[in-house]
Amino acid sequence: MDSIKIALAQLNPTVGDIAGNLEKLRTARKKAAQAGADLVLSTELFISGYQPEDLVMKPAFLVACLKAVEALAADTADGGPGVIVGFPRQGEAGRHNSVAVLDGGEIIAIRDKVDLPNYGEFDEKRVFVPGEMPGPVSFRGVRIGIPICEDIWGDLGVCETLAESGAELLLSPNGSPYYRGKVDVRHQVVLKQVIETGLPLVYLNTLGGQDELVFDGGSFGFNADKTLAFQMPQFAEDIAISEWERGDDGWRIVGGKVAALPLGEASDYRACVLGFADYVNKNGFKSVVLGLSGGIDSAICAAIAVDALGAERVHCVMLPYRYTSEESLSDAAACAKALGCRYDIVAIEEPVSGFQAALESLFEGTEEGITEENLQSRTRGTILMAISNKFGAMVVTTGNKSEMSVGYATLYGDMNGGFNPIKDLYKMQVYAVAAWRNTERPEGMHGPEKNAIPQNIIDKTPSAELRPDQTDQDSLPPYPVLDDILECLVEREMSVEAIVARGHDAETVHRIEHLLYIAEYKRRQSAPGVKITRKNFGRDRRYPITNRFRDR
């Protein structure tokens, strides 16, 4: 063959939905056949969905995945495109993260992932065993190397081995989660392999939300001369046909399209929307409910919910108490109106008074303080959970990363809920994303064109409104200062000495470090949320709850 067409299936599978994933790939194969494709490439562990985690330890699950691959192999007896499909399999040495190459009605080859990642959000050494160093697969006369995800990221020399053993081109199925700037990182990883092997390389990335992770797609290919041959979109399913020609210098991708990619706040926002939409839809929730306080965090969560699901599936509830300002009441109402979603007011004065009356004799002689403030938050949480139980709507949690870091949130109160779309956005990032959304609406969003969030919500001083004239800065440093300290402590693991050298007050840094550590128990009980930064709480950062270390 001097030419070949390879269809790149950037699709959104669902973990555990083996039948649904199989049907999705069958549909993609039919479209690829209509476009004249010879081969369809799918993403890492496509049949099982990614990440399947401990599901792969269940023998019945592995059997079901294999049967799906065999059924797909039988489809290829029709003379249409072959398929490269990812799936977990039971081998003689243990469980493998594998791909099967299907053609002519058969499984013509299987290759296993060699380099198993065990850092950050990855824990593959726990459930898989590494495969042998692979050779290329001969597909209709073309020798194809298939390094699986970490096989191109790591330093085990998988791509070099494939090149040395005769591979003519490299097709890499991936499951690479999003963080800001990740596409540039992937480009550099692929270019390194292209330079070292002298071969063209296609990087196909999965799409969709899976619990806390978002896979943003953004698949691409580089030719052997280090030029970008094509770039697929982020945050959208797509089937691209890559056309290859064999010349004197080997294979080359010709005529590829380069999609424009979102940057900065645009990409963060789309990641939040995709992760939220998939969590709600893949778990079968018909609607969501959230407390709309008139503050920036609940407002951006409401906007994300409407953009992800449509206004008809979003229910906002204002839960005022005696300290709730008229400004907050009007801002919350204006936000719900701008988004077009249902808005109700449920006053909490009576239930809070009831709790206070019940505790009056027990609390006699004590001063009012955080306990009474938390009663307000927990009353709101109870009401939202009651609405959820009655109508089946998932409660949306609305705390940002700055608050989650220092424990500025109430267990069984504002931390109640099923999912938090801004859990990994610091407060200043929330403001930046809100300002961006007020000027832009990405393709596929259901909310208003512009001005999704009233400007006064963005402009006013943030407050929990749990006591008279309260502001967040009564107990926290200004958010630009707090966020910088937290990023240094969490993402960069910097010493207190180094953070102080950046110009921060030593006492403030020590205090924030202490708050960060003692809030670990709260974070362990918090709802999952979209991973946006390089290091989120949970998968990436696993600190002990019982911990006396302080950097002094």
Side-chain angles (χ1 to χ4, degrees):
M1 297 178 68
D2 292 323
S3 66
I4 187 172
K5 287 185 177 182
I6 302 175
L8 309 170
Q10 179 176 290
L11 304 175
N12 188 343
T14 299
V15 167
D17 186 9
I18 297 170
N21 297 339
L22 173 60
E23 188 57 35
K24 187 179 281 283
L25 190 51
R26 280 173 162 163
T27 300
R29 181 174 179 268
K30 289 178 182 177
K31 292 180 180 178
Q34 293 169 359
D38 302 290
L39 178 64
V40 178
L41 176 66
S42 68
T43 51
E44 182 177 16
L45 293 178
F46 182 84
I47 287 296
S48 63
Y50 191 74
Q51 296 172 337
E53 301 186 85
D54 283 9
L55 269 175
V56 301
M57 299 174 74
K58 194 173 186 66
F61 182 70
L62 297 180
V63 169
C65 288
L66 179 59
K67 287 182 177 179
V69 172
E70 291 171 342
L72 188 61
D75 292 351
T76 64
D78 62 6
V83 180
I84 298 175
V85 59
F87 75 111
R89 75 176 188 94
Q90 181 67 50
E92 292 183 4
R95 293 178 299 272
H96 291 283
N97 180 336
S98 306
V99 295
V101 184
L102 318 176
D103 197 32
E106 298 178 340
I107 299 175
I108 65 170
I110 289 177
R111 294 293 184 268
D112 301 319
K113 189 174 184 177
V114 179
D115 198 348
L116 301 176
N118 209 57
Y119 56 86
E121 63 268 30
F122 300 110
D123 199 10
E124 291 196 21
K125 289 182 179 178
R126 182 172 177 273
V127 295
F128 291 122
V129 296
E132 300 292 331
M133 198 65 82
V137 175
S138 180
F139 176 81
R140 301 184 186 180
V142 182
R143 295 188 301 277
I144 300 174
I146 314 173
I148 304 171
C149 199
E150 193 72 14
D151 289 344
I152 71 169
W153 288 76
D155 298 319
L156 296 185
V158 176
C159 292
E160 293 91 329
T161 298
L162 287 165
E164 291 167 359
S165 55
E168 300 174 86
L169 56 92
L170 302 174
L171 303 179
S172 181
N174 278 258
S176 175
Y178 172 84
Y179 59 72
R180 184 189 284 199
K182 190 70 171 288
V183 171
D184 289 338
V185 175
R186 296 174 190 142
H187 280 189
Q188 294 306 312
V189 167
V190 168
L191 278 170
K192 178 176 181 290
Q193 299 297 349
V194 168
I195 292 168
E196 291 182 355
T197 63
L199 297 177
L201 194 158
V202 165
Y203 183 104
L204 181 68
N205 193 31
T206 195
L207 180 81
Q210 172 57 29
D211 295 344
E212 294 179 311
L213 300 180
V214 172
F215 300 93
D216 54 303
S219 306
F220 59 92
F222 274 93
N223 276 315
D225 62 4
K226 297 176 285 186
T227 58
L228 181 65
F230 68 89
Q231 173 68 65
M232 295 171 70
Q234 281 182 289
F235 309 111
E237 286 193 315
D238 192 24
I239 300 172
I241 305 297
S242 61
E243 299 188 19
W244 299 68
E245 293 180 355
R246 191 204 303 263
D248 295 338
D249 297 329
W251 287 95
R252 181 178 181 82
I253 308 167
V254 295
K257 296 180 180 179
V258 177
L261 301 180
L263 300 172
E265 284 76 30
S267 61
D268 286 350
Y269 188 82
R270 294 195 67 172
C272 288
V273 171
L274 177 59
F276 180 79
D278 276 358
Y279 189 87
V280 172
N281 292 328
K282 290 180 179 181
N283 283 290
F285 292 105
K286 294 181 180 180
S287 61
V288 298
V289 62
L290 71 152
L292 193 62
S293 67
I296 187 68
D297 296 324
S298 62
I300 193 66
C301 287
I304 289 170
V306 169
D307 276 338
L309 307 175
E312 69 281 358
R313 297 175 64 187
V314 179
H315 183 189
C316 293
V317 183
M318 167 47 111
L319 299 147
Y321 188 57
R322 64 184 66 167
Y323 305 128
T324 302
S325 67
E326 288 298 324
E327 183 182 33
S328 292
L329 286 165
S330 61
D331 285 343
C335 186
K337 183 178 180 181
L339 295 172
C341 55
R342 179 179 172 181
Y343 175 71
D344 288 303
I345 299 176
V346 179
I348 66 168
E349 182 77 33
E350 288 190 18
V352 171
S353 297
F355 280 122
Q356 291 172 335
L359 294 164
E360 185 175 8
S361 60
L362 193 60
F363 287 2
E364 187 176 0
T366 65
E367 293 185 5
E368 285 195 9
I370 292 175
T371 300
E372 285 71 22
E373 293 179 16
N374 286 344
L375 274 178
Q376 299 169 47
S377 179
R378 291 188 173 120
T379 299
R380 292 183 172 113
T382 298
I383 290 172
L384 289 173
M385 290 305 300
I387 295 171
S388 172
N389 292 160
K390 180 63 71 174
F391 302 109
M394 186 197 79
V395 177
V396 180
T397 314
T398 61
N400 61 68
K401 190 172 186 176
S402 304
E403 295 173 351
M404 297 303 299
S405 297
V406 296
Y408 200 75
T410 305
L411 271 176
Y412 325 119
D414 53 313
M415 289 178 64
N416 276 4
F419 196 79
N420 182 350
I422 63 167
K423 183 179 180 179
D424 202 33
L425 287 176
Y426 287 111
K427 186 76 169 190
M428 297 311 297
Q429 290 176 315
V430 169
Y431 279 114
V433 166
W436 173 85
R437 179 59 183 88
N438 270 359
T439 62
E440 302 284 344
R441 183 181 72 174
E443 184 178 352
M445 303 292 155
H446 299 284
E449 288 281 349
K450 296 181 179 181
N451 302 319
I453 299 168
Q455 189 61 38
N456 191 59
I457 291 179
I458 299 175
D459 293 340
K460 69 183 181 182
T461 302
S463 170
E465 294 191 323
L466 298 174
R467 62 176 181 268
D469 302 318
Q470 181 185 28
T471 68
D472 290 0
Q473 262 61 75
D474 294 342
S475 52
L476 297 173
Y479 279 115
V481 174
L482 176 63
D483 287 358
D484 188 66
I485 294 173
L486 288 172
E487 186 174 351
C488 291
L489 289 170
V490 176
E491 271 79 34
R492 304 183 192 181
E493 296 286 4
M494 290 171 60
S495 68
V496 167
E497 182 181 14
I499 300 171
V500 171
R502 290 169 63 90
H504 293 294
D505 173 68
E507 184 179 348
T508 300
V509 177
H510 281 300
R511 176 170 170 263
I512 298 306
E513 180 203 36
H514 178 69
L515 292 174
L516 175 67
Y517 286 158
I518 65 172
E520 185 63 34
Y521 82 100
K522 288 187 177 182
R523 291 189 291 271
R524 292 284 184 95
Q525 300 180 64
S526 65
V530 180
K531 172 181 162 65
I532 295 294
T533 66
R534 286 176 178 261
K535 185 176 285 190
N536 75 335
F537 292 121
R539 289 181 179 269
D540 295 336
R541 187 181 186 277
R542 308 175 194 182
Y543 268 62
I545 295 174
T546 305
N547 169 26
R548 287 192 176 182
F549 175 77
R550 299 294 184 270
D551 183 11
R552 295 185 183 274

